[in-house]
């Protein structure tokens, strides 16, 4: 594991502001009564993470496209159950949360915290690209298990998994991923492809759960190796499993490319260094007063100065 100096903290921002929205009461409002629970909650999460993890760099990664066309073309069911409007590819988002997202971006900009979204790609792909091109160490903060595929002890890439809360996150390194799923992080995308994930519209292979998926990946290496085994009469596969996998061949031919995080997103220029002072202090004061978020902003500023 590389040393802790120059640590990069990558935020799966939507994962965090959704958690904040549902975890912080809607009674937290701006002076005009507008809910700002997601804004306040996200800022408090950032303050806590910077204090606890002591990064020297940070990027808030954004979903410029929550359901990219290249994934939908491969697998039309991808996130289809979360569509609010198929014609516009709009996601089902509570209106009170949707109204807060532009405020979050404004506040991040005024603070001087790098935030990146790239048209045509999800935040996961931005995270994957930043991770692929960084020398580490990198902490990825998310409630999305798909990002376990990025875990790499040699590069110092870990996931701070927030399923139980930001303050109770699990540190997922290679040993933790293997202990939980019986596969290493680098095999997680193939594992998830076999098992499926209803939250992303991935049907998986009928009758294949975590244990069987892990056994198959361990035995055959990846989905491509498994499909080759189906066509090999001498391969160690029971007739029942052989039939199930053969029946899912069309799905298995495309799903790994849907699940795999992209490492090649064209990123804009950015500065990931933690700011010592706000980039736009006057604007930050205006936003603090307008939205009644001074206390949360002060916690972030204090954390940044102590990082």
């Amino acid at each position: 594991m590389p040393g802790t100096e120059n640590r990069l903290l990558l935020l799966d921002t939507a994962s965090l502001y959704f958690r904040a929205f549902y975890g912080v009461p809607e009674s937290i409002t701006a002076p005009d009564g507008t809910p700002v629970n997601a804004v306040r909650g996200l800022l408090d999460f950032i303050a806590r993470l910077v204090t606890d993890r002591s990064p020297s760099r940070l990027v808030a990664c954004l979903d410029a496209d929550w359901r990219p066309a290249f994934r939908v073309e491969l697998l039309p069911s991808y996130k289809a159950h979360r569509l609010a409007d198929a014609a516009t590819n709009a996601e089902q988002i509570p209106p009170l949360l949707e109204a807060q997202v532009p405020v979050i971006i404004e506040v991040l900009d005024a603070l001087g915290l790098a935030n990146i979204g790239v048209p045509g790609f999800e935040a996961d792909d931005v995270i994957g690209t930043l991770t692929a091109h960084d020398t580490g160490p990198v902490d990825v903060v998310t409630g999305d298990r798909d990002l376990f595929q990025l875990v790499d002890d040699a590069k110092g890439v870990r996931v701070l998994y927030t399923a139980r809360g930001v303050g109770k996150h699990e540190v997922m390194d290679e040993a933790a991923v293997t202990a939980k799923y019986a596969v290493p992080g680098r095999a997680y995308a193939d594992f998830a492809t076999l098992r499926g994930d209803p939250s992303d519209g991935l049907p998986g292979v009928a009758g294949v759960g975590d244990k069987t998926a892990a056994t198959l990946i361990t035995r055959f290496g990846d989905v491509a190796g498994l499909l080759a085994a189906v066509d090999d009469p001498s391969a160690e596969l029971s007739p029942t499993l052989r039939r199930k996998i053969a029946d899912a061949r069309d799905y298995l031919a495309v799903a790994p490319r849907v699940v795999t995080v992209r490492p090649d997103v064209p990123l804009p220029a950015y500065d990931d260094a933690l700011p010592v002072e706000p980039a736009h202090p006057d604007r930050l004061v205006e936003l603090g007063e307008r939205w009644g978020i001074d206390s949360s902003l002060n916690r972030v500023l204090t954390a940044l100065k102590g990082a």
Side-chain angles (χ1 to χ4, degrees):
M1 177 77 70
T4 58
E5 67 282 352
N6 205 35
R7 180 176 302 281
L8 172 61
L9 194 66
L10 298 178
L11 308 182
D12 181 1
T13 312
S15 173
L16 293 175
Y17 65 59
F18 265 93
R19 172 167 288 279
F21 179 75
Y22 287 111
V24 178
E26 288 180 16
S27 56
I28 303 298
T29 62
D32 67 358
T34 304
V36 289
N37 53 333
V39 183
R40 286 269 300 269
L42 177 64
L43 290 172
D44 289 344
F45 290 163
I46 291 173
R48 179 161 193 166
L49 287 163
V50 170
T51 299
D52 291 350
R53 310 310 305 184
S54 300
S56 54
R57 299 174 294 142
L58 183 150
V59 180
C61 303
L62 304 166
D63 284 320
D65 190 339
W66 72 284
R67 191 172 180 256
F70 73 89
R71 289 194 167 98
V72 176
E73 287 169 5
L74 290 168
L75 191 68
S77 66
Y78 183 65
K79 296 185 178 180
H81 61 294
R82 288 157 53 186
L83 276 169
D85 186 338
T88 62
N89 201 41
E91 183 181 12
Q92 292 177 357
I93 301 177
L96 293 179
L97 171 58
E98 189 172 17
Q100 296 182 61
V101 175
V103 180
I104 287 169
I105 295 172
E106 277 193 282
V107 170
L108 293 174
D109 285 338
L111 282 165
L113 291 173
N115 55 95
I116 301 175
V118 178
F121 297 96
E122 298 177 63
D124 286 9
D125 301 309
V126 174
I127 290 170
T129 301
L130 289 166
T131 300
H133 294 91
D134 201 86
T135 57
V138 181
D139 284 344
V140 177
V141 185
T142 185
D144 183 354
R145 295 177 297 177
D146 286 341
L147 290 172
F148 291 167
Q149 66 188 270
L150 301 177
V151 169
D152 184 338
D153 283 0
K155 287 188 65 177
V157 179
R158 307 178 301 183
V159 168
L160 309 185
Y161 185 49
T162 60
R164 294 188 300 138
V166 172
K168 299 179 181 178
H169 65 257
E170 297 176 74
V171 178
M172 303 299 294
D173 56 10
E174 289 187 23
V177 175
T178 302
K180 197 172 186 72
Y181 299 105
V183 295
R186 62 185 174 276
Y188 188 86
D190 289 286
F191 166 82
T193 294
L194 292 176
R195 180 200 59 199
D197 188 346
S199 68
D200 280 342
L202 300 173
V205 176
V208 172
D210 284 19
K211 186 175 180 180
T212 301
T215 299
L216 291 171
I217 292 302
T218 299
R219 184 178 299 163
F220 299 107
D222 54 20
V223 168
L226 178 58
L227 288 173
V230 169
D231 297 327
D232 179 1
S234 67
E236 188 183 347
L237 271 173
S238 70
T240 299
L241 267 178
R242 191 181 295 270
R243 184 182 69 255
K244 288 178 177 179
I245 295 160
D247 288 346
R249 184 184 295 274
D250 290 346
Y251 161 74
L252 292 174
V254 298
R257 285 179 284 163
V258 175
V259 179
T260 300
V261 171
R262 293 281 294 266
D264 57 353
V265 172
L267 300 176
Y270 66 94
D271 180 1
D272 61 11
L274 286 188
V276 177
E277 299 292 340
H280 306 287
D282 292 342
R283 180 58 178 153
L284 195 64
V285 170
E286 292 174 7
L287 290 168
E289 293 176 352
R290 166 70 179 85
W291 299 109
I293 55 174
D294 283 336
S295 59
S296 292
L297 286 174
N298 286 333
R299 281 190 283 274
V300 173
L301 293 170
T302 298
L304 292 173
K305 289 179 180 178

